[in-house]
Amino acid sequence: MRVTMATSRQHPFRVTSLFLPVLAILLVSQLVLTATANENTTSPVITHEAVDDTHGDNSSDEHEGGDAEPHRGHGGVHVASWNLKYVQLPLTVTFFALFVGVAKIGFHHADFLSAIFPESVLLIVLGVVFGGIAYATKQTGSFDSQTFFLYLLPPIILEAAYSLHDRTFADNLASILIYAVVGTLLNTFLIGLTLYGISLTGAYGNSFTVGLIECLIFSSLISAVDPVAVLAIFQEIHVNQVLYFLVFGESLLNDAVTVVLYNMMNSFLSLETIPASQIVLGFVSFFTVSLGGAVIGFLVGILTAFLTKFTKHVRVVEPLAILGMAYLSYLLAELFHFSGIISIICCGLAQAEYAFDNISRKSSTTVTYFTKMLSTTTESIIFLLLGQTLWAEKHQWNTGFVLCTLLFIFVYRVFGVVVITFVVNKFRIGKINKEEQFIMSYGGLRGAVAFSLVATLLPEDVPARNVFVTTTLVVILVTVFVQGTTIKPLVKLFRIKRSGQEDPTVALAIHQTVIDYVMAGIEEVIGHKGHNYVRMWIEKMNTHYIKKYLQRNPTSWEDEVMKTFEKVTNHDHHNHIFKLSRGEECRKNSETEIEKFKPMLTRGDSYFDSIRRRHTFKKTPGGEYMAISDKATPADVAGIMKKNPRNALHEKYDKNLLNDDCQDLPLLMRQRSTEHVLAQERITAMRAANKWRRAVRSSKSGGNVPATIAEENERKGDREQGEEDIVFLEDEGKSKEPIVKIEPEIIGNDDADTNV
Amino acid sequence: MGSRTSSLLQAEEIEQIQKETGFSKRQIVRLYSRFTSLDKSDNGCLSREDLLRIPELAINPLGDRIIHAFFMDNPESKINFRQFMSTLSLFRPIKSHDKDIENPCNSRDNKLKFAFRMYDLDNSGMVTREELLVILQMMVGSNITEEQLGSIADRTIAEADEDNSGAISYENFVKALQRADVEQMMSIRFLN
């Protein structure tokens, strides 16, 4: 860690060096892609348009092909041979995934970028660069809708579903559903009709006209807020829970509306006239698609819980059961043309409620980590591919259409949110205020779902397809780039209530339950069974009937409290050991010093943790790096933590799994022991300094106390070295080494003194 | 139903309650009909027994204490409609115009005081370890041992108790719930 610090000071251009591996991997994967393209097969991630052209190349590849399969072709032993055909598909996928991983590491270290831009923006830019290289080498990759829906999307939604297992979500479910269903419907029809109306006036130019159904197809796919884009942005701005779940929940649950409207409009295309019965059927299909998906998901989730009830002696299959069943729910729903997204959400929620208590702690960690890893990776791949498609698709630009779409999606989004909030607020206790409404409207990002839908349109059915594709891409880019980048400052500007990192306390868990019971009781007194009553009732049913059959050891409220209690006491336990071992040696004479060091030893981010990050170094106007003062008050430390862009980005959602270190006991112990050594050295140094200062004071007769320590240093001879280190300790500003080296004699002296 | 009960309720009385509690007229009329339906003895007052008759409240682990809280300021164990309403007004959601009034009845402080009373049975202003244990026992089932419960109680007190008194004072309680959105948690939407 110290090495990093040193290099950071000596090489201000470290970021460029960090990008080198990124570029290297990029080039390598590009090479592989090129090679695989020559091999003429389509990979699941990248599909190649020029399939027909490359068919002819087969003969020219004969030579390589022969080499690739030595055991089949001409005889003789090959010491080494080129066997690309055999591995190319997994190889491409692996390279791609690893590239994404390396790119993320790169962004992580390029603070100046990630402080301003969200990761999704950077990935799209990278995708554009990547696609540019591919384009230059005549290899065009494109975004494959099937890959997207079957492989890339499910992990993200599953991970999101687990995060929805939260009381705030349940409390706000009604509002979220209204936003998702009514809001999306409203937007679709308003945008579709407006675009059609403008088309009638001929504002898009003479050569371009669109029909009503075409407009509605387009509006049905463009009006839905995209879960992937929203998640990517909202994870990073950590607004309060209610706002987060309102936007994010809406983006997830509007899927059924989008699917139904999109399919309905597509089927209308082939009809000459649209009979009313078709519209009624469309309305009915909304219920089958959404509820069918929900029921499949819930049943599969229940089945998972039932399955995991019997895995006590076969722990190893637990993660498989959870993840496999979740994917099954998605595929089953898609099999019947139901909403796979809604299905996997319901499945994930049921699993989180019932199955997670059956599986071992390690299994649940595995599930959490695996879904998190998978979803982060696929999310990045999606954005990267989106960037690439900029080069791949056949574009047709229509300024009028693009501008109108951009304008109206924003106008109607605001309109929809304001109208629905007006209604919803009448029934809510915690009202959604104006600023939050603005963030809700502004957070309506469009993303890859819209693009995959538009890409599946056929030019034969929809003549305006290419215009739609271009417009969708522009909308996605504008919403993700402009809104995604500016939403964070706006959240700050409007002083939107943020979510803090809250340590759970036992007291809070208990008080919360008491209040819940009180509120349920009061609702019974006034005879109006409101949501408190419903919550109590559901909880009772859950505990008494459902959990009994689905869980090995049915959990209840007290287990929740016990869990919190264990967590808190564990935390305390670690802290306690740390303090004890430190305190025992210097308890006698340095109570005050312990006070001074308290900020470093407080829970969570200890001071030494932050020293070792280079972010505690400020860059002075002169260009040199300066360490932030040693005498950091707790407020300072908090400030540093906030200013550190990396922490600001990953605080809430912990996308990069940073704060989970405490699961790792050995690591924690190691970390603590190094901190301990550092703290120890520092305390000894401080003590020596104080002692020495006292000695100086007493030796000088009265008023002749030196003004600065530096002066004293000059006067002192023998113990110069040690004192200089102490000076550094007092004023770390110009220091190069944060670690104090103390002359052995001083420590010896000091120890002798304490013993007296 | 509404018209019959409202006739029993004097117009001035409604106005007065409206002023005291901030409920709308229709809410008051509605709650009055609830009040009379609870009042089995038909004497314009509610007794503990009347409230205990509510079936769900009887199985609510804190039911006794909730009822007790209604009769807090009333030694005769009878409350009339106005007292009933003034207790209920604690749970009215906070609206923007409430901020203009000095010390509204549904303030955060009042809500918290009500919650605190759930613990503080002897009204001493302090929640002792014993009182906390009693309330914990009411809420938990059999899965948890006496010892575990004791350590949870100790922990809760230790978290809140800043003045080392071995008990939770009201100030400690407020501080423990500092981050919680009490205004929202302790509000009910009253029907019109």
Side-chain angles (χ1 to χ4, degrees), chain A residues 507 511 524-525 558 568 572, chain B residues 34 60 119 141 155 159 187:
Chain A
H511 297 327
E524 284 143 18
V525 169
E558 53 255 43
V568 173
D572 282 3
Chain B
R34 175 68 180 170
N60 190 321
Y119 300 88
R155 173 75 211 183
E159 270 174 13
S187 294

Side-chain angles (χ1 to χ4, degrees), chain A residues 528-590:
Chain A
H528 160 227
K529 296 184 166 120
H531 73 272
N532 287 296
Y533 175 81
V534 173
R535 179 166 54 221
M536 281 287 152
W537 185 82
I538 290 175
E539 219 149 86
K540 207 171 78 189
M541 289 294 136
N542 212 355
T543 328
H544 287 280
Y545 301 104
I546 305 178
K547 284 193 176 174
K548 212 162 93 188
Y549 299 106
L550 295 180
Q551 297 192 333
R552 206 177 304 123
N553 301 308
T555 54
S556 54
W557 174 76
E558 53 255 43
D559 295 303
E560 289 299 306
V561 174
M562 272 316 279
K563 247 188 239 164
T564 319
F565 179 65
E566 266 171 38
K567 211 168 165 183
V568 173
T569 41
N570 263 336
H571 207 134
D572 282 3
H573 180 64
H574 291 315
N575 282 343
H576 181 66
I577 298 177
F578 185 16
K579 278 181 187 149
L580 201 70
S581 60
R582 193 185 56 81
E584 247 174 12
E585 283 144 311
C586 52
R587 198 185 302 138
K588 282 175 195 156
N589 69 340
S590 54

Side-chain angles (χ1 to χ4, degrees), chain B residues 33-45:
Chain B
S33 81
R34 175 68 180 170
F35 182 81
T36 44
S37 72
L38 288 175
D39 180 19
K40 293 280 188 270
S41 49
D42 244 353
N43 55 4
C45 280

Side-chain angles (χ1 to χ4, degrees), chain A residues 596-639:
Chain A
K596 277 183 204 156
F597 282 99
K598 259 198 175 153
M600 310 173 187
L601 305 171
T602 41
R603 215 189 233 201
D605 308 290
S606 80
Y607 176 74
F608 284 102
D609 218 25
S610 67
I611 292 200
R612 280 192 258 116
R613 295 182 192 145
R614 62 197 153 77
H615 301 289
T616 40
F617 288 89
K618 276 196 294 203
K619 200 174 179 185
T620 56
E624 59 178 353
Y625 283 87
M626 196 183 95
I628 286 158
S629 167
D630 185 23
K631 287 168 225 154
T633 61
D636 281 347
V637 176

Side-chain angles (χ1 to χ4, degrees), chain A residues 215-257:
Chain A
C215 273
L216 284 173
I217 287 183
F218 178 67
S219 70
S220 72
L221 62 90
I222 204 75
S223 58
V225 176
D226 185 76
V228 186
V230 166
L231 192 70
I233 302 291
F234 272 69
Q235 273 172 3
E236 299 188 353
I237 58 175
H238 44 94
V239 290
N240 64 65
Q241 288 269 300
V242 177
L243 188 55
Y244 174 75
F245 278 121
L246 280 177
V247 181
F248 180 44
E250 181 204 334
S251 72
L252 283 171
L253 298 180
N254 65 19
D255 178 62
V257 183

Side-chain angles (χ1 to χ4, degrees), chain A residues 167 172 242 426-431 497 501-508 510-529 531-533 540 554-559 561-562 565 568-569 572 603, chain B residues 30-31 34 38 51 54 56-57 59-62 66 70 84 88 91 93 114-115 118-119 132 135-136 139-144 148 151-152 155-156 159-160 168 173 176-177 179-191:
Chain A
R167 193 174 150 161
N172 291 291
V242 177
K426 289 208 181 305
F427 301 96
R428 285 178 65 91
I429 289 171
K431 311 282 187 214
K497 214 163 113 196
Q501 327 100 299
E502 289 171 9
D503 290 327
T505 61
V506 182
L508 212 59
I510 291 172
H511 297 327
Q512 172 92 54
T513 317
V514 167
I515 288 174
D516 281 351
Y517 277 124
V518 169
M519 296 321 289
I522 297 291
E523 282 189 352
E524 284 143 18
V525 169
I526 65 165
H528 160 227
K529 296 184 166 120
H531 73 272
N532 287 296
Y533 175 81
K540 207 171 78 189
T555 54
S556 54
W557 174 76
E558 53 255 43
D559 295 303
V561 174
M562 272 316 279
F565 179 65
V568 173
T569 41
D572 282 3
R603 215 189 233 201
Chain B
R30 199 190 160 87
L31 286 169
R34 175 68 180 170
L38 288 175
L51 287 180
I54 304 171
E56 288 93 352
L57 202 55
I59 50 169
N60 190 321
L62 298 178
I66 295 165
F70 272 91
F84 180 70
L88 286 184
F91 302 103
F114 189 92
M118 291 294 120
Y119 300 88
L132 196 62
I135 203 162
L136 284 176
M139 292 193 297
V140 302
S142 50
N143 301 10
I144 207 160
Q148 283 172 314
S151 54
I152 289 180
R155 173 75 211 183
T156 314
E159 270 174 13
I168 305 174
F173 181 72
L177 282 169
R179 290 179 321 198
D181 194 357
V182 179
E183 289 93 333
Q184 226 186 91
M185 274 156 56
M186 295 192 69
S187 294
I188 304 180
R189 209 166 60 82
F190 287 91
L191 293 182

